[in-house]
Amino acid sequence: MIYLPYYQSDFSTTFRYLDYRIPSKNIYKYVLEGYQDTFLLKDGHSQISFNNLDPGNYELKVWGGSAEGILNPLPAKLNIRIGAPWYWNRWSIALYIFLFGTLLTTLYVFQLRRRVAISEARKIQEFQQLQSKLYTNITHEFRTPLTVISGMVEQIQIDPENWFRDGLSMIKRNARQVLSLVNQMLDLAKIESGYLRVEWVQTDLVRYIKYLMEPFIAIGRTVGVKVHFLPEINQLVMDVDTNKLQIILSNLIQNAVKFTPEGGDIYLTIEENHLVKIHECVIGVRDTGIGIKPDQVPFVFDRFFEVTGVETRASGGTGIGLTVVKEYVELLGGNIRVESFWQEGTKFTIVLPIHHNAPVKEMDGHIIFADELVDLNDAASFSETQNVIDMDQSLALIIEDHPDVQTYIASILSSDYRIITAKHGKEGMDKAIEWIPDVIISDVMMPFMDGFELTEKLKLDERTNHIPIILLTAKADHDSKLLGLLKGSDAYLSKPFDPQELKIIIQNQIHLRNSLQKQYQEQSTKGASQNHINDHFIKKVTLVLEANLDNDRFGIPELCQAIGISRTQLHRKIKALTNQSTSHFIRSFRMYKAKELLINTDMNVTEVGYAVGYLNRSHFSQDFSSVIGQPPSFYKR
């Protein structure tokens, strides 16, 4: 064997076949195993060269033969070893493998840590979003009762004779709502820490729930929802924590009332199951409300989760109510499940184990109801006939689903405005179109249609697009305010609000509308160009009147049919924009057109009268004089 360093990988070698008869005709065959195939050399060529051999072991085999072409069967052999460079020996390769493995491990660890960091960042972000959502919702929940509390204190100070009794009741009721919210949050914290204990008593569950249902039946009656208690058994004595069961059922029934439209039904049932080795009580709460969308049903018990969708966007919430329900049910050893069909209704089923280990406690006929439910059926709800009806006063529509807030806002405005009220966005939309009020004060978070959608729809409707809309809401964040303004609201106030600020905003909006009335009136009667968005309706009316100018039978009914709205809506819209009745508006329009014809044409008075729909000259002259201030003949002298 010969050894060649890596830098001598180019080399040549010669060989001889020991046949001296004709040496120049000797033949050779050779192969360098591990490098190339077999080659045949003729005519005595006996030198071969190799270039750029890779480091490694090779074996050179050479067969020799005489001129007759007969090769020796046994080759001559030469082992050759090309050495590897210093950076490619076994130790360096081992080092490279080690470094490569270390690099791969480092990259893997880096990617793993990166993924963990991203996951942790995402979790932190989700937690922060949940935390922000919780703070927002809690703020919303606190703002509404605090609006009533702070506002009614001021109302009692201003007018104690009218508001002392009802005001104190409202303050007490809303203070309990705040306390209830705090207690729910504290209970959740206790559950997490394991400090919340069950206070078992043995009592008749059917009788207890019957008492518990009484205020809900009254509440449902006030909002047009029937609440039914349908036990399948007359008595069921078992161990239960009455306070926790009360909170469980209160949350479920309140949600059912909130999401069930007027005319709907809510059913609470109780039955007893006797299965093999299982004795349990099954309580069902079912409503005929709007239901929950299928993709949201699995998450209704998750903390901070709120059902989304315009129809379900009710008065808000902290997103912990159903979480508390689930935690309480499990604390009592039971389970709860939910079934819901969109636009058909929702059913919650609670299964509790029946046992008889606690001391017996008889119901004495008196139940301490949940704080947030006390006296709700007696909540002061503002009557639209409470304030003295003065038709010269502006008409204000208050849209608010919280009865106490509705009453409070009405108490602020009732001395200066005629008041009509609506319990939610859909009812508010209907009343706005029916009554065409001078101003609308609306909450944002309401069932069936929220304040944002309500504002957008009213501003797109030519019957109501002139009405100033003021949004009063507990959603005080900047994005919500911008959204409200983008939807077309004229002002956005956060609860609790300053009543004087509300009054000033309303006064300014009505003053602005009154100042525009003169402008619209002049534009519509004198034919001035209309550039303001609210002029679109007046322009539409004037185009119809102009097309029927010479029709003596074209009056208010025909105009209503041509415009496509009712007589009442037409009157209120024109009154709001021009401060004129519909008949006076039509008469003024015809008279100003007659004035133009008298001045700019050769037509006589009788012909002009015919041209503007008057067949009687004296009647035409009388109306012309009353509107223009001069007789028609004045312009034909």
Side-chain angles (χ1 to χ4, degrees):
M1 173 183 286
I2 63 172
Y3 174 82
L4 299 174
Y6 71 93
Y7 52 83
Q8 290 183 348
S9 59
D10 297 340
F11 64 92
S12 299
T13 183
T14 58
F15 38 82
R16 292 285 184 273
Y17 182 63
L18 300 179
D19 186 343
Y20 299 105
R21 290 175 295 173
I22 310 175
S24 61
K25 295 296 182 178
N26 289 343
I27 61 173
Y28 302 96
K29 183 177 77 171
Y30 73 92
V31 63
L32 182 63
E33 291 184 348
Y35 177 71
Q36 59 181 188
D37 296 330
T38 301
F39 288 92
L40 183 64
L41 298 178
K42 296 180 179 181
D43 301 328
H45 293 289
S46 60
Q47 181 175 353
I48 54 176
S49 299
F50 300 98
N51 301 313
N52 296 323
L53 294 182
D54 293 330
N57 296 320
Y58 301 91
E59 185 176 44
L60 178 63
K61 295 181 179 181
V62 180
W63 291 264
S66 63
E68 290 83 4
I70 300 173
L71 289 171
N72 192 329
L74 296 177
K77 300 179 181 179
L78 176 63
N79 291 321
I80 303 169
R81 181 177 181 183
I82 306 297
W86 63 268
Y87 52 81
W88 197 248
N89 55 39
R90 67 178 64 179
W91 295 107
S92 60
I93 292 174
L95 177 62
Y96 298 152
I97 294 173
F98 172 75
L99 293 176
F100 184 70
T102 303
L103 178 62
L104 288 179
T105 304
T106 303
L107 288 175
Y108 174 77
V109 172
F110 173 77
Q111 287 294 334
L112 183 63
R113 289 181 177 177
R114 181 172 174 270
R115 291 176 184 174
V116 171
I118 292 174
S119 176
E120 290 179 351
R122 188 180 295 114
K123 289 180 180 179
I124 293 173
Q125 184 179 12
E126 290 174 356
F127 175 77
Q128 289 174 342
Q129 289 175 348
L130 290 175
Q131 193 177 46
S132 176
K133 183 177 180 181
L134 174 64
Y135 291 155
T136 300
N137 292 342
I138 289 178
T139 300
H140 179 275
E141 288 294 287
F142 275 108
R143 283 177 180 274
T144 298
L146 288 176
T147 297
V148 178
I149 293 170
S150 61
M152 291 314 301
V153 167
E154 187 170 342
Q155 288 298 98
I156 291 172
Q157 291 174 337
I158 296 172
D159 189 5
E161 184 176 346
N162 289 327
W163 290 105
F164 185 78
R165 182 177 176 277
D166 289 340
L168 287 182
S169 177
M170 291 168 65
I171 290 171
K172 181 179 179 181
R173 182 165 51 251
N174 284 273
R176 283 173 172 167
Q177 288 183 11
V178 174
L179 181 60
S180 173
L181 175 62
V182 173
N183 287 338
Q184 283 191 58
M185 297 178 65
L186 290 176
D187 284 350
L188 268 182
K190 289 178 181 178
I191 290 173
E192 289 178 343
S193 61
Y195 289 124
L196 190 63
R197 298 290 180 259
V198 180
E199 299 178 0
W200 296 105
V201 295
Q202 188 175 162
T203 189
D204 182 0
L205 189 64
V206 176
R207 187 181 177 193
Y208 174 78
I209 295 179
K210 180 180 179 182
Y211 287 128
L212 188 63
M213 289 296 293
E214 290 179 359
F216 290 110
I217 293 172
I219 293 170
R221 195 178 298 119
T222 62
V223 297
V225 175
K226 293 181 180 179
V227 181
H228 310 271
F229 178 48
L230 304 174
E232 297 187 8
I233 50 179
N234 296 323
Q235 186 182 49
L236 179 57
V237 177
M238 60 179 285
D239 295 345
V240 68
D241 186 323
T242 54
N243 290 328
K244 293 178 178 58
L245 182 63
Q246 168 188 311
I247 294 173
I248 291 169
L249 296 181
S250 297
N251 270 289
L252 294 178
I253 299 175
Q254 281 186 95
N255 281 341
V257 171
K258 185 185 297 183
F259 297 125
T260 301
E262 190 172 349
D265 295 276
I266 298 171
Y267 302 92
L268 191 145
T269 60
I270 306 177
E271 59 180 298
E272 184 179 5
N273 279 347
H274 289 277
L275 303 175
V276 178
K277 296 182 180 181
I278 297 178
H279 193 195
E280 60 189 15
C281 165
V282 180
I283 303 173
V285 178
R286 180 173 66 88
D287 64 63
T288 59
I290 56 180
I292 305 170
K293 293 182 178 179
D295 60 328
Q296 297 179 342
V297 171
F299 308 104
V300 295
F301 295 112
D302 291 356
R303 191 171 303 185
F304 312 132
F305 178 78
E306 290 180 87
V307 176
T308 59
V310 172
E311 293 87 350
T312 61
R313 196 179 298 141
S315 57
T318 59
I320 61 175
L322 289 178
T323 302
V324 170
V325 167
K326 184 174 184 293
E327 295 286 357
Y328 278 1
V329 169
E330 292 178 351
L331 196 64
L332 297 178
N335 62 78
I336 183 171
R337 62 180 182 271
V338 58
E339 302 170 79
S340 187
F341 298 93
W342 182 240
Q343 300 295 352
E344 294 183 15
T346 301
K347 181 180 180 181
F348 288 89
T349 303
I350 301 168
V351 179
L352 297 174
I354 296 177
H355 42 76
H356 306 88
N357 303 320
V360 176
K361 179 181 180 182
E362 294 293 337
M363 293 290 101
D364 57 5
H366 298 284
I367 300 257
I368 301 177
F369 296 107
D371 289 336
E372 66 272 19
L373 296 176
V374 176
D375 298 329
L376 266 181
N377 52 309
D378 298 323
S381 181
F382 183 81
S383 171
E384 295 173 5
T385 60
Q386 275 184 265
N387 58 325
V388 178
I389 302 300
D390 182 356
M391 297 309 295
D392 290 333
Q393 288 182 325
S394 298
L395 180 65
L397 169 59
I398 301 172
I399 309 172
E400 170 62 62
D401 65 329
H402 194 291
D404 285 346
V405 177
Q406 186 184 103
T407 300
Y408 167 54
I409 297 172
S411 72
I412 297 171
L413 305 178
S414 58
S415 60
D416 301 312
Y417 301 91
R418 290 178 292 138
I419 304 293
I420 55 175
T421 59
K423 296 187 292 291
H424 51 71
K426 284 186 177 178
E427 183 183 353
M429 180 81 179
D430 294 338
K431 287 196 173 184
I433 293 173
E434 177 186 359
W435 288 90
I436 314 295
D438 297 290
V439 65
I440 295 174
I441 302 98
S442 175
D443 188 21
V444 169
M445 301 297 287
M446 298 180 294
F448 309 114
M449 182 187 295
D450 67 11
F452 295 141
E453 184 184 2
L454 172 72
T455 300
E456 184 175 31
K457 288 186 175 181
L458 291 177
K459 290 299 184 180
L460 291 175
D461 194 316
E462 65 178 12
R463 296 169 292 182
T464 55
N465 59 12
H466 68 282
I467 303 173
I469 300 176
I470 300 168
L471 293 180
L472 295 176
T473 178
K475 294 194 73 174
D477 58 288
H478 184 65
D479 290 342
S480 296
K481 182 176 182 179
L482 288 180
L483 180 59
L485 295 174
L486 286 172
K487 293 295 184 181
S489 67
D490 297 271
Y492 193 102
L493 288 181
S494 302
K495 298 175 183 177
F497 55 88
D498 185 342
Q500 292 303 317
E501 183 180 4
L502 175 61
K503 284 184 174 182
I504 291 171
I505 289 175
I506 295 175
Q507 289 170 1
N508 288 342
Q509 291 294 330
I510 292 179
H511 176 73
L512 177 61
R513 192 203 63 186
N514 291 339
S515 65
L516 291 174
Q517 282 178 347
K518 296 180 180 179
Q519 176 186 346
Y520 297 156
Q521 181 180 357
E522 182 178 353
Q523 288 177 346
S524 60
T525 56
K526 295 184 180 182
S529 62
Q530 294 96 15
N531 296 317
H532 195 278
I533 187 173
N534 287 333
D535 294 344
H536 176 74
F537 181 81
I538 297 298
K539 183 177 182 179
K540 183 177 180 180
V541 172
T542 56
L543 288 173
V544 173
L545 291 176
E546 191 162 4
N548 296 274
L549 189 62
D550 60 348
N551 186 352
D552 64 305
R553 296 189 178 184
F554 191 87
I556 296 176
E558 291 75 21
L559 180 58
C560 291
Q561 185 175 3
I563 298 298
I565 62 176
S566 70
R567 187 185 186 111
T568 302
Q569 290 171 338
L570 177 64
H571 169 74
R572 288 174 175 160
K573 179 75 176 184
I574 290 179
K575 181 72 174 176
L577 290 177
T578 68
N579 201 28
Q580 293 178 313
S581 66
T582 308
S583 58
H584 186 267
F585 177 85
I586 295 174
R587 184 169 60 252
S588 298
F589 180 81
R590 291 180 184 273
M591 292 307 101
Y592 276 99
K593 286 296 181 182
K595 179 182 175 182
E596 289 181 14
L597 293 174
L598 289 170
I599 295 173
N600 300 322
T601 70
D602 295 332
M603 299 170 65
N604 60 36
V605 173
T606 303
E607 290 172 335
V608 170
Y610 289 151
V612 296
Y614 281 77
L615 301 179
N616 187 303
R617 173 169 176 160
S618 62
H619 186 198
F620 168 65
S621 298
Q622 182 181 354
D623 283 355
F624 190 91
S625 299
S626 65
V627 173
I628 304 301
Q630 297 288 348
S633 57
F634 176 82
Y635 294 95
K636 280 299 179 183
R637 289 177 182 174

